[in-house]
Amino acid sequence: MSRAALLVLADGRFPAGGHAHSGGAEAAVRAGRIRTPADLAEFCRGRLHTAGLTSAALAAAAAAGLDPLVLDEAADARTPSPALRTTARKLGRQMMRAARATWPSDELHALAAARPRGAHQPIVLGLAARAAGLGPEAAGHCVAYEMVSGPATAAVRLLSLDPFDATGVLARLAPELDEVARRAAVAAAEAVVDGVDALPAASAPLLDVMAEAHAAWPVRLFAS
């Protein structure tokens, strides 16, 4: 595994469009659910162990070589919110452009041709990790980190939160990020044998509800 490739893929400056999305933090801030660093930590923890685990496992399965089209359908089934499905595919298109320019591969090109409107972002990320020589657990780490770093970065802008406090939240979540990535890789290995139904389908209904409300706002700082 190339540690340098892992750092490039997980870097928030990788041009995949994630900076324009709050991961649900903007809606949570407006609803009063995130006001302090402690609130942010609980929000990120909840997101990590639900939608984060599900997405990390999908990415790990793509990195393990499962059919990305089957995984994309599985991602649809695990994303009940139309707004979140739209966001996932938009981010997938942006990730695809960056990944194909950085680590071109036949698998990425084939998925881009099969899903011109965009595949779910974790699937594209998993294929990008595979093209970069990374394994399933590394792909899971990238997704898990993105699931918490996006809201943490957004909270700094939305609340004028001290960036040191936001970074401290991420640092204290590190052991849980490792555990989610490990569980994602285990689930991917099981899915290789038993099919995609072996992948987790953890849900976060409040994130779905807030995503639908956020999509209807006439004015917002973040796309999602």
Side-chain angles (χ1 to χ4, degrees):
M1 183 185 77
S2 168
R3 290 184 180 177
L6 176 59
L7 291 173
V8 170
L9 187 58
D11 193 334
R13 291 164 293 187
F14 189 71
H19 64 279
H21 298 263
S22 76
E26 185 168 22
V29 166
R30 180 178 288 192
R33 293 188 174 92
I34 300 178
R35 296 177 178 173
T36 67
D39 295 337
L40 175 63
E42 288 307 303
F43 178 86
C44 288
R45 179 173 288 109
R47 191 167 193 259
L48 173 64
H49 289 285
T50 54
L53 174 61
T54 300
S55 295
L58 288 164
L66 272 73
D67 186 338
L69 296 179
V70 173
L71 289 172
D72 196 51
E73 293 175 357
D76 254 353
R78 287 161 170 76
T79 312
S81 163
L84 289 181
R85 287 199 298 271
T86 298
T87 295
R89 292 192 179 280
K90 182 181 296 184
L91 286 169
R93 286 197 304 273
Q94 293 169 308
M95 172 65 74
M96 180 66 78
R97 290 181 61 192
R100 291 175 73 186
T102 310
W103 300 288
S105 76
D106 291 342
E107 289 178 317
L108 284 168
H109 297 329
L111 181 58
R115 291 287 190 271
R117 294 174 52 228
H120 280 254
Q121 191 258 15
I123 314 305
V124 181
L125 189 149
L127 286 188
R130 182 175 170 85
L134 301 173
E137 188 165 347
H141 260 116
C142 288
V143 171
Y145 178 70
E146 182 183 51
M147 279 283 169
V148 296
S149 63
T153 302
V156 172
R157 296 175 62 186
L158 292 162
L159 294 169
S160 297
L161 201 66
D162 188 328
F164 295 154
D165 288 336
T167 302
V169 167
L170 297 180
R172 287 186 288 276
L173 284 172
E176 293 175 62
L177 290 171
D178 291 343
E179 175 61 17
V180 166
R182 185 196 66 79
R183 290 174 62 192
V186 169
E190 293 172 350
V192 169
V193 177
D194 299 327
V196 295
D197 287 346
L199 296 174
S203 63
L206 189 55
L207 284 178
D208 296 330
V209 171
M210 290 194 299
E212 291 300 309
H214 183 271
W217 293 359
V219 178
R220 54 184 186 262
L221 183 61
F222 290 93
S224 71

